[in-house]
Amino acid sequence: MTYLTAETASFLACHRLAEAMLPPPRLRTLLEASGGDPEAALASHKGLTPRQIERLERAARVTPNPRAWEQAQDWGVKALVCTSPDYPADLRHFDDSPPILFVRGSLPTAPGLAIVGSRRATIYGKGQAVRFAQAFAEAGFTVISGGAAGVDTAAHRGTLELGGATVAVVACGLDYIYPAENRQLFEQIVAQGGAIVSEFSVGTKPEPWRFPARNRIIAALSQVTVVIESPEQSGALITARNAAEYGRDVWVVPGPVDTGRSRGGHRLVQDGASLADSPEDILEALAVMPRAINLTLPLEVEERVSEQKPLPELPPDEAALLAQLSSMAISLDDAAEVAGLAPAQALVAATMLEMKGLVQRQPGNQFRRS
């Protein structure tokens, strides 16, 4: 795919326009009036208030810090403006869509389906994210999520394991890796034909308020948004609300009713969202005939292995922790919470299980069954 800008001056103009933080409709007006030329837009004051002119003039003097600029160049980060033919068509028609989109990698041309959910997902939630992501990838869709821990990471990884393409929409500049433990995941996303995208200029830190803002991009890029394991205060509910406002379908994967971890998603169903017991429910609604799919949740795989190879007798803490682990690595904190163990207890149990060859330690203090 050919992007609008590869030249330093044009990219810098896009960076400075993004730094001005103008309302999207205002910035879009500047770009359209300037024929899509970011340098001309940077010098224009058409339709701006005095305060907005002041912000634009201040941003026009901004230069990215050397580290951020060097990283963006090393990674081949490009900028797409809303008038470019390569700007995603699904974003183009919404008033609040980002007039400038920074891209690392290649935006897949296949239609997108979003999978979102809790950062502190359980094994069940992560397993469902893998299950749905792989079914969507098998059917030829691009899987879109937010690159965060939990459900997002599971959806991206599940897609990549099947050889599919996925897009991570992040809430910071593309020179940042957030969360840090997803560095390898982001590299693989780009290597397999996907992309990391953001509306924020290089050097922008992942501040809390930026995450709700980026959720609208996830919703707009996707024909359908699927919510997995979303508590009442989850940012996934913002994505779902954005999707509904954009006229896109929202589906919810049900979860246990006694934990509160899926209460937000269940409320969405009460408010009119559709319930999905399986990926095929969604694919059939999209008039897609799914191929023969034989996907098994990681936990179910481990249960079958356990039946075939009995585990040695374990102390209660070790047994409780091991029961929460599967072939997909998860953080020790998450596993400990579900197992009902204090952090210190979980660390001792994980160390003993590792010594016995029953688990493997992964980067970021994550563990998986051997």
Side-chain angles (χ1 to χ4, degrees), residues 72 120 127 208 231 306 347:
R120 300 185 63 81
S306 299
L347 182 59

Side-chain angles (χ1 to χ4, degrees), residues 43-353:
S44 173
H45 297 162
K46 182 180 175 67
L48 300 184
T49 66
R51 182 173 177 80
Q52 290 167 351
I53 292 172
E54 179 184 348
R55 286 162 59 184
L56 187 64
E57 290 178 341
R58 185 167 60 246
R61 299 187 292 271
V62 168
T63 300
N65 71 66
R67 186 203 65 81
W69 178 240
E70 181 180 348
Q71 188 67 81
Q73 289 183 310
D74 288 346
W75 283 346
V77 175
K78 303 295 190 296
L80 294 178
V81 301
C82 57
T83 57
S84 167
D86 294 327
Y87 186 90
D90 288 323
L91 277 179
R92 195 186 302 275
H93 306 297
F94 298 111
D95 290 339
D96 62 348
S97 62
I100 299 173
L101 198 65
F102 296 94
V103 180
R104 179 186 173 200
S106 302
L107 287 169
T109 56
L113 300 181
I115 297 177
V116 295
S118 174
R119 285 179 172 83
R120 300 185 63 81
T122 65
I123 291 173
Y124 167 81
K126 293 177 182 178
Q128 292 298 327
V130 170
R131 176 191 180 204
F132 277 72
Q134 292 190 337
F136 294 160
E138 179 75 11
F141 288 93
T142 299
V143 174
I144 299 172
S145 197
V151 165
D152 290 10
T153 291
H156 292 307
R157 284 181 175 162
T159 304
L160 295 172
E161 287 172 5
L162 203 70
T166 182
V167 172
V169 184
V170 299
C172 53
L174 295 186
D175 56 309
Y176 276 89
I177 299 294
Y178 184 84
E181 59 266 25
N182 276 357
R183 178 175 295 274
Q184 185 177 0
L185 173 66
F186 287 1
E187 295 291 340
Q188 190 177 356
I189 287 174
V190 173
Q192 284 191 206
I196 317 297
V197 304
S198 176
E199 66 179 311
F200 300 111
S201 56
V202 295
T204 301
K205 296 180 180 179
E207 297 171 295
W209 70 267
R210 301 186 192 277
F211 290 88
R214 69 89 195 263
N215 289 348
R216 78 191 194 286
I217 302 176
I218 297 174
L221 284 173
S222 309
Q223 292 188 7
V224 164
T225 292
V226 181
V227 178
I228 298 177
E229 209 165 51
S230 175
E232 287 185 292
Q233 302 302 318
S234 172
L237 302 183
I238 298 175
T239 311
R241 183 169 65 246
N242 291 147
E245 291 172 352
Y246 294 155
R248 307 291 170 80
D249 289 338
V250 176
W251 292 74
V252 176
V253 178
V257 297
D258 58 347
T259 65
R261 290 178 176 273
S262 297
R263 187 170 295 147
H266 293 170
R267 292 278 172 84
L268 290 175
V269 174
Q270 292 173 338
D271 291 339
S274 301
L275 188 145
D277 285 334
S278 71
E280 288 73 24
D281 292 340
I282 298 170
L283 294 174
E284 289 171 5
L286 291 170
V288 175
M289 293 300 293
R291 306 171 194 172
I293 301 172
N294 184 20
L295 302 173
T296 309
L297 292 180
L299 184 59
E300 295 173 343
V301 173
E302 297 300 337
E303 287 173 347
R304 290 206 304 272
V305 172
S306 299
E307 292 171 0
Q308 296 169 1
K309 298 180 179 180
L311 293 171
E313 215 169 298
L314 298 171
D317 286 1
E318 294 175 35
L321 184 66
L322 186 63
Q324 304 308 319
L325 300 177
S326 74
S327 59
M328 181 191 300
I330 66 170
S331 75
L332 183 59
D333 288 344
D334 287 350
E337 182 181 355
V338 180
L341 300 176
Q345 289 176 292
L347 182 59
V348 172
T351 301
M352 296 304 298
L353 290 169

